[in-house]
Amino acid sequence: MKKMARIKLNKLDDVKDFVAAASECDFDVDIFYNSFIVDAKSILGVLSLDLTRELNVTCQDYNKKFEQTLRKYAVA
């Protein structure tokens, strides 16, 4: 199952929290904006994105804790 979500990371602590949650997943998690796609488990990769924009996240499976993190940063 492939899931897609839109999120907004406003602060460095948000990025740290998001990357920590993604790192606990045993499946691929990608985060992207326009044509820039990075591994969501890479803090440097996530920080290289334009954090003033809404970002898209795709994940290949389900993890309850990661789903809670996605909801926490979801764009309405």
Side-chain angles (χ1 to χ4, degrees), residues 2-29:
K2 188 172 185 178
K3 177 172 171 66
M4 188 164 165
R6 289 182 17 198
I7 64 168
K8 181 86 163 101
L9 302 171
N10 296 311
K11 303 178 292 189
L12 180 59
D13 288 337
D14 295 347
V15 174
K16 288 180 186 178
D17 182 46
F18 176 80
V19 170
S23 296
E24 292 182 15
C25 298
D26 60 349
F27 49 86
D28 288 338
V29 181

Side-chain angles (χ1 to χ4, degrees), residues 5-64:
R6 289 182 17 198
I7 64 168
K8 181 86 163 101
L9 302 171
N10 296 311
K11 303 178 292 189
L12 180 59
D13 288 337
D14 295 347
V15 174
K16 288 180 186 178
D17 182 46
F18 176 80
V19 170
S23 296
E24 292 182 15
C25 298
D26 60 349
F27 49 86
D28 288 338
V29 181
D30 294 320
I31 186 167
F32 61 96
Y33 172 73
N34 283 342
S35 62
F36 300 104
I37 303 171
V38 297
D39 184 355
K41 298 176 184 180
S42 166
I43 194 160
L44 289 177
V46 175
L47 288 172
S48 72
L49 296 171
D50 183 359
L51 298 179
T52 64
R53 307 284 184 171
E54 292 178 5
L55 304 169
N56 295 301
V57 178
T58 58
C59 51
Q60 304 298 324
D61 207 348
Y62 177 81
N63 177 294
K64 186 176 181 177

